[in-house]
């Protein structure tokens, strides 16, 4: 396991991060993703920690708080030293029926941070992330609330998730101008069949030096290698009941054809190639991997040992690269005078 600095900080996190979205679901949307109980979650956390993963990501909204409770109890059950694990969680989504029990307002952030700490059984959160953009709350209010949490040592670092490039840069400017706690990272969707963030977000991350945490690196199971384009009955797994994130299946099937060839050369799986490709992208800090079983997690962890050649990376890029789009093609054309 390799470790990378998370954004403009001295914090080092493992290149793979254990995702806990499969913890604690019931007969709702979260149950379609996973319904792991405490014993099963303990097994996954132990497997991850033994493999060198020091980074765990959860969210208050996952299974209505159950994921955080199970995650915190797992750390306690396994006796994992607090200074050897980096715990990240998120806030934004509805956590009650009240009109203020949601969003990125100071009201909701302060309330939910306290509740997350209680569920996790921790005295501080290492990375506290805003789970998405709140159009009703001024960005400055959100950032000032987060900065307060940092100054009170309830939170060590702050990050964002699922924000547009312009929103992130605006937040960075506000934080710098008002001398608030700096933004460290962005958590975003990125896969071989979902490379949209390369248009605006990747250039922004490189420009500002932010870390990137990748969620759903297997595109909701599409890149697991379980799906057969010629057999609709074989398209089982999580996407049957929870078809997310959206995937262009024609482009996706073409990518999987190439991935199967490369996987065979490495004695690896399609899923491992998908994860390995992400780990070869210099903008990526950590890839969040979730699982329902220990053997699934072990297989995902093995992707860290898959070294793709330049030729293999070129083949994967050729079959999945984004079509040219304005202003990208114009910027490229006009930049020639600086060559």
């Amino acid at each position: 396991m390799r470790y990378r600095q998370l954004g403009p900080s001295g914090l080092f996190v493992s290149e793979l991060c254990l995702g806990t979205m499969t913890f604690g679901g019931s007969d709702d949307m979260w149950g379609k993703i996973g319904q792991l109980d405490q014993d099963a979650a303990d097994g996954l956390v132990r497997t991850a920690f033994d493999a060198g993963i020091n980074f765990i990501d959860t969210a208050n909204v996952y299974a209505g708080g159950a994921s955080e409770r199970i995650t915190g109890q797992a750390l306690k059950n396994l006796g994992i030293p607090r200074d050897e694990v980096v715990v990240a969680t998120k806030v934004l989504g509805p956590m009650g029926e009240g009109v203020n029990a949601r969003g990125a307002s100071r009201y909701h952030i302060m309330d939910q941070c306290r509740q997350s700490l209680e569920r996790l059984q921790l005295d501080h959160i290492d990375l506290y992330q805003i789970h998405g953009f709140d159009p009703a709350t001024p960005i400055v209010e959100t950032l000032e609330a987060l900065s307060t949490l940092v100054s009170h040592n309830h939170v060590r670092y702050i990050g964002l998730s699922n924000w547009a490039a312009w929103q992130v840069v605006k937040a960075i400017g506000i934080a710098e101008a008002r001398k608030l706690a700096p933004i460290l990272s962005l958590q975003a969707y990125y896969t071989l069949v979902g490379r949209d963030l390369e248009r605006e977000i990747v250039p922004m991350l490189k420009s500002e030096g932010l870390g990137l945490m990748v969620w759903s690196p297997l595109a909701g199971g599409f890149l697991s290698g379980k799906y057969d384009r010629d057999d609709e009955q074989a398209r089982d797994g999580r996407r049957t009941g929870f078809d997310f994130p959206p995937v262009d299946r024609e482009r996706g099937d073409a990518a999987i054809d190439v991935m199967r060839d490369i996987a065979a050369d490495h004695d690896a799986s399609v899923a491992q190639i998908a994860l390995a490709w992400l780990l070869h992208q210099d903008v990526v800090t950590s890839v969040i991997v979730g699982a329902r079983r220990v053997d699934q997690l072990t297989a995902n962890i093995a992707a860290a040992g898959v070294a793709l050649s330049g030729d293999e990376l070129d083949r994967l890029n050729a079959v999945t690269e984004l079509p040219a789009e304005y202003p990208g093609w114009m910027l490229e054309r006009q930049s020639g005078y600086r060559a």
Side-chain angles (χ1 to χ4, degrees), residues 15-36:
E15 63 183 350
L16 294 179
C17 172
L18 178 64
T20 64
M21 195 183 290
T22 56
F23 294 5
S26 56
D27 296 327
D28 55 10
M29 180 190 77
W30 303 110
K32 295 176 181 178
I33 297 170
Q35 301 185 26
L36 300 188

Side-chain angles (χ1 to χ4, degrees), residues 144-221:
E144 287 181 341
L146 292 171
S147 198
T148 298
L149 292 174
V150 172
S151 66
H152 290 175
N153 204 32
H154 298 313
V155 168
R156 295 284 170 85
Y157 301 97
I158 62 175
L160 306 171
S161 179
N162 302 317
W163 282 39
W166 71 266
Q167 294 166 341
V168 176
V169 171
K170 183 174 181 178
I172 290 172
I174 291 172
E176 291 178 347
R178 295 180 177 247
K179 295 181 172 24
L180 302 175
I183 296 164
L184 205 66
S185 60
L186 177 71
Q187 188 174 144
Y189 170 61
Y190 188 26
T191 70
L192 270 166
V193 293
R195 297 174 59 177
D196 305 282
L197 84 172
E198 292 178 358
R199 297 199 187 281
E200 298 287 345
I201 293 177
V202 166
M204 178 274 297
L205 293 174
K206 291 181 177 180
S207 170
E208 303 305 318
L210 298 190
L212 173 63
M213 297 166 62
V214 176
W215 60 261
S216 198
L218 299 182

